[in-house]
Amino acid sequence: MVKKNIHRIYMFLVFIFLYAPIAVLVIYSFNDSTSRGNWGGFTFKWYIELFQDRDIKSALYYTVLVAFFAASISTIIGTLSAIGLYNLKKGPRAIFMNLNYLPVVNPDIVTGLSLMILYLSVNMKLGFLSMLLSHITFDIPYVILAVLPKLKSMNKHLAEAALDLGATPSYALRKVIIPEIMPGIITGFLIAFTLSIDDFVISFFTTGSGVTNLSIVIYSMARRGVKPTINALSTLMLLAVLILLFLINKKSSLTNRDNKFDGGY
Amino acid sequence: MGNKIIELNNISKDYNVRVLDRISLFVKENEFLTLLGPSGCGKTTTLRIIGGFEYPTEGEILFEGKNINHVPPHKRQINTVFQKYALFPHLNVFENIAFGLRIKKIKEQAIKENVKSMLKLVGLSGFENRNIESLSGGQQQRIAIARALVNKPKVLLLDEPLGALDLKLRKEMQIELKNMQREVGITFVYVTHDQEEALTMSDTVAVMHNGEIQQIGSPVDIYNEPENAFVADFIGESNIIEGIMHDDYIVSFLSKTFKCVDYGFSRNESVHVVLRPEDIVIVEEEAGHLNGIVTSSIFKGVHYEMLIQTEDFEMMVQSTYKSEVGKRVGLSFGPEDIHIMSKEG
């Protein structure tokens, strides 16, 4: 009994440690006082102020735009890459999979810096396009990681069955393979979108004047002194990411159930 | 049965090792040919070469007399029923069967009629809107057959299509498949490791082992006149005994000389003698050709399977009468029950 309580208290402390900062941030975004020490009553005014700030509005626009295009393009490239990887022989596949993992574990700052140096070395102007390209680059491996398991759990004769029935390879891809791995593709898109929305380091290195995303705006605002609008903005970003995470989890728990069913017959 | 529709000439296939070694066989129109062998014998690879999913390393494959070595699967008039059916889970029963017809851009009305008549043929009328995953194994099997047959292929390939079904359903499906084949008049090439299935359904059986064809012939020939010890052993239970062919119609084994019906061997050639367990009759001691003691007796449903230890061989015997373990008995068989096989195969 005592042991059980100790376990509970320990768990409670861990969660406090993890979530207290976020809770504080959210609570203070509703605080009607500029000083962080006192509670001046409940207010939405920071949120209202947020949406009157032109810089923030433009950053929101770019964030969503980049996230949408980066997620879409990387989903297409990543899905096709995953199909290619899946059809490779075991040896080469292992090599390419490890090459694929490298960007995932590579520190963001290294990725960001190396992309920046690459763009500068080919005389590319840093701005919207360079940031978009960077986001596509770091999104692709995650899409591949989301799609590949769906391919592996698919009956390996499905594509052959389509060809056997007279389908050209591209018809088989469109009508059989893609619909079959759709849950993985959607999950990959959502992961890419989420990563793109909350990226700071890589965006910071690869964007140019006039084009910023929300993370960069928050960073520069924080340097000038923490205003409660930052809390409000961060809370909104947190909310957006939470919703996306929720969608991803729902999606993947659905597909897990499908997989179990596949194994049934 | 008419002309040769498929012909394999000296087909070999190498991956890292050689899995098929100079296979030659032909399939006639409307024939039911079965490739039979243990797993890893190359039977599925042979089927995949016919289907176009693998290309042969050497040799040529002819379809109606024309070389199709490098024709991709979607350009062959051949359809396949895959081992685990490979139905499209995101499509319903109707769309699965209609898949091939839609590619051929057939009119919607004709597609509907064709699918309907196919469902009738496989005994699943009214299943059009069902989900693939809601079907039992046997039903999925039938849909897979309907999906292939609706395209009116000249040849249907079946890769162990009944492997996942339980024994009773498998027996029913064997008969149904055979009837369907007669009804639609399509050439079937069937792959299985189940010798009983092969004997029940086929017009012709090709027994394969280690990437080579051991024997091709009618089920009766394969069973009664196995060409070598492997075939004899694989097709049903067999007693395979070392023997010497003294002259035409005279063979000796287990230190005794017997009359037989085989001829054409060299004088004193060393041979394999096959005695089918169901051809041996248990009689009183000293009343038969050989004497022995019953060492095991197992009930198998229709018959008992007994092992009888003779002086230097353990003989398997099948009989509907039980002999008690430990009893001394005699074994009797006639000249036509003795099958002689050359050791070279």
Side-chain angles (χ1 to χ4, degrees):
Chain A
M1 196 63 199
V2 177
K3 210 174 169 191
K4 205 173 174 188
N5 276 334
I6 290 173
H7 282 189
R8 280 191 182 153
I9 291 166
Y10 177 72
M11 188 121 118
F12 186 70
L13 285 175
V14 168
F15 276 104
I16 291 257
F17 186 72
L18 283 174
Y19 285 95
I22 298 172
V24 168
L25 176 100
V26 174
I27 291 166
Y28 275 93
S29 73
F30 299 106
N31 184 10
D32 192 4
S33 159
T34 39
S35 89
R36 263 157 297 159
N38 348 330
W39 179 254
F42 185 85
T43 179
F44 274 121
K45 81 173 178 195
W46 306 119
Y47 287 88
I48 295 163
E49 202 170 292
L50 197 62
F51 284 99
Q52 286 162 345
D53 187 320
R54 279 187 54 209
D55 284 351
I56 289 173
K57 273 200 280 188
S58 126
L60 178 68
Y61 167 74
Y62 280 121
T63 303
V64 174
L65 202 66
V66 167
F68 178 76
F69 280 111
S72 306
I73 296 169
S74 62
T75 300
I76 295 168
I77 299 176
T79 302
L80 294 177
S81 313
I83 293 170
L85 278 171
Y86 172 70
N87 285 310
L88 280 178
K89 285 201 181 113
K90 229 178 179 181
R93 180 160 76 195
I95 294 169
F96 282 108
M97 276 311 289
N98 283 323
L99 284 175
N100 185 47
Y101 279 121
L102 193 62
V104 174
V105 293
N106 198 20
D108 278 0
I109 193 141
V110 177
T111 308
L113 196 64
S114 58
L115 281 167
M116 183 181 80
I117 292 167
L118 174 74
Y119 297 141
L120 292 177
S121 73
V122 296
N123 280 329
M124 190 174 153
K125 199 168 158 281
L126 294 182
F128 178 76
L129 189 65
S130 57
M131 185 158 86
L132 177 62
L133 283 176
S134 312
H135 280 225
I136 293 171
T137 309
F138 75 73
D139 279 345
I140 288 174
Y142 292 94
V143 175
I144 294 178
L145 288 177
V147 173
L148 209 54
K150 286 304 288 177
L151 281 165
K152 283 185 180 163
S153 69
M154 191 176 75
N155 181 332
K156 65 179 195 288
H157 293 305
L158 279 187
E160 286 181 354
L163 294 178
D164 187 75
L165 293 165
T168 59
S170 90
Y171 188 91
L173 181 68
R174 280 180 288 124
K175 296 287 179 172
V176 174
I177 309 291
I178 301 278
E180 211 39 50
I181 58 172
M182 204 37 134
I185 296 176
I186 293 171
T187 308
F189 177 87
L190 290 173
I191 293 173
F193 196 82
T194 313
L195 288 173
S196 190
I197 278 193
D198 74 359
D199 174 70
F200 167 70
V201 178
I202 295 171
S203 307
F204 187 73
F205 276 98
T206 56
T207 189
S209 58
V211 182
T212 51
N213 67 6
L214 287 174
S215 308
I216 297 172
V217 165
I218 291 173
Y219 173 73
S220 53
M221 278 165 75
R223 276 208 308 191
R224 277 183 266 131
V226 180
K227 275 170 67 186
T229 40
I230 295 181
N231 291 349
L233 186 56
S234 307
T235 304
L236 287 180
M237 281 186 71
L238 175 75
L239 197 67
V241 171
L242 271 182
I243 290 170
L244 284 167
L245 265 180
F246 176 74
L247 284 177
I248 293 169
N249 276 333
K250 208 171 162 198
K251 197 84 217 159
S252 60
S253 72
L254 270 179
T255 47
N256 280 344
R257 213 173 57 203
D258 287 355
N259 286 345
K260 253 181 224 154
F261 204 92
D262 285 349
Y265 65 80
Chain B
M1 267 175 252
N3 303 319
K4 292 176 186 174
I5 186 158
I6 288 176
E7 222 179 320
L8 305 185
N9 289 330
N10 289 313
I11 293 280
S12 295
K13 178 71 185 173
D14 299 341
Y15 292 110
N16 294 321
V17 288
R18 175 152 284 210
V19 291
L20 281 186
D21 194 20
R22 281 166 289 143
I23 296 274
S24 289
L25 61 87
F26 59 84
V27 192
K28 286 181 179 169
E29 272 173 37
N30 294 352
E31 189 176 4
F32 194 127
L33 176 105
T34 298
L35 301 171
L36 172 67
S39 54
C41 72
K43 57 191 191 298
T44 296
T45 307
T46 308
L47 196 78
R48 288 173 62 79
I49 285 174
I50 300 174
F53 305 112
E54 309 276 354
Y55 294 136
T57 315
E58 283 163 28
E60 60 168 5
I61 167 166
L62 305 177
F63 184 81
E64 294 183 324
K66 284 185 214 100
N67 185 307
I68 54 162
N69 269 27
H70 292 285
V71 176
H74 60 278
K75 292 186 179 150
R76 298 189 182 193
Q77 287 170 295
I78 296 173
N79 284 122
T80 309
V81 175
F82 290 88
Q83 206 164 19
K84 282 183 182 146
Y85 322 138
L87 295 170
F88 307 127
H90 64 286
L91 300 175
N92 66 13
V93 167
F94 181 92
E95 288 301 326
N96 261 279
I97 300 176
F99 193 87
L101 301 176
R102 292 211 187 283
I103 291 166
K104 288 182 199 136
K105 306 242 184 313
I106 286 169
K107 289 212 175 67
E108 192 62 32
Q109 189 56 37
I111 290 180
K112 272 188 189 147
E113 281 162 18
N114 272 311
V115 172
K116 205 172 172 194
S117 73
M118 269 304 140
L119 280 173
K120 198 175 162 210
L121 178 76
V122 297
L124 289 175
S125 292
F127 274 62
E128 281 90 344
N129 295 319
R130 290 283 292 273
N131 218 326
I132 291 303
E133 277 157 3
S134 73
L135 303 179
S136 70
Q139 290 167 335
Q140 294 196 10
Q141 178 58 64
R142 288 156 201 252
I143 299 301
I145 292 165
R147 182 180 68 174
L149 282 181
V150 77
N151 301 291
K152 303 200 169 55
K154 293 204 168 156
V155 177
L156 185 69
L157 309 178
L158 302 104
D159 186 5
E160 307 224 10
L162 309 182
L165 306 181
D166 64 64
L167 186 67
K168 192 159 178 295
L169 191 56
R170 196 156 72 218
K171 300 258 180 203
E172 284 170 23
M173 283 299 290
Q174 285 173 11
I175 296 161
E176 266 186 59
L177 262 180
K178 183 73 193 164
N179 289 341
M180 263 184 236
Q181 191 247 345
R182 286 208 193 96
E183 208 170 310
V184 294
I186 292 176
T187 310
F188 275 34
V189 180
Y190 193 96
V191 161
T192 184
H193 62 263
D194 181 337
Q195 35 94 10
E196 203 184 318
E197 196 165 289
L199 298 179
T200 312
M201 302 170 78
S202 326
D203 299 316
T204 308
V205 179
V207 183
M208 293 183 69
H209 181 50
N210 287 340
E212 290 175 46
I213 291 185
Q214 305 291 322
Q215 186 174 359
I216 301 184
S218 74
V220 176
D221 286 350
I222 296 264
Y223 190 85
N224 286 342
E225 302 296 334
E227 264 174 31
N228 58 39
F230 174 80
V231 177
D233 194 39
F234 194 71
I235 307 287
E237 304 284 351
S238 285
N239 298 294
I240 299 172
I241 311 156
E242 298 281 330
I244 289 170
M245 200 73 186
H246 291 299
D247 208 337
D248 284 354
Y249 312 114
I250 296 174
V251 64
S252 76
F253 55 91
L254 301 179
S255 330
K256 286 200 173 179
T257 304
F258 298 89
K259 265 193 212 163
C260 66
V261 293
D262 295 84
Y263 57 91
F265 292 86
S266 334
R267 195 172 281 253
N268 292 328
E269 184 179 335
S270 167
V271 291
H272 281 132
V273 177
V274 170
L275 281 172
R276 293 283 180 194
E278 69 273 20
D279 290 340
I280 304 172
V281 182
I282 295 180
V283 294
E284 292 297 315
E285 199 178 5
E286 302 301 335
H289 302 101
L290 296 164
N291 293 316
I293 182 164
V294 181
T295 56
S296 134
S297 179
I298 300 162
F299 182 57
K300 288 277 189 180
V302 180
H303 60 261
Y304 290 89
E305 191 170 284
M306 287 160 285
L307 292 176
I308 287 126
Q309 183 67 50
T310 69
E311 212 167 303
D312 32 32
F313 191 80
E314 190 171 60
M315 196 80 80
M316 180 186 283
V317 179
Q318 289 171 352
S319 165
T320 46
Y321 296 102
K322 187 179 181 185
S323 296
E324 293 299 331
V325 173
K327 194 181 169 194
R328 299 195 61 87
V329 294
L331 300 174
S332 171
F333 39 85
E336 68 285 353
D337 298 325
I338 298 171
H339 307 291
I340 310 292
M341 298 172 311
S342 140
K343 278 193 171 174
E344 277 78 52

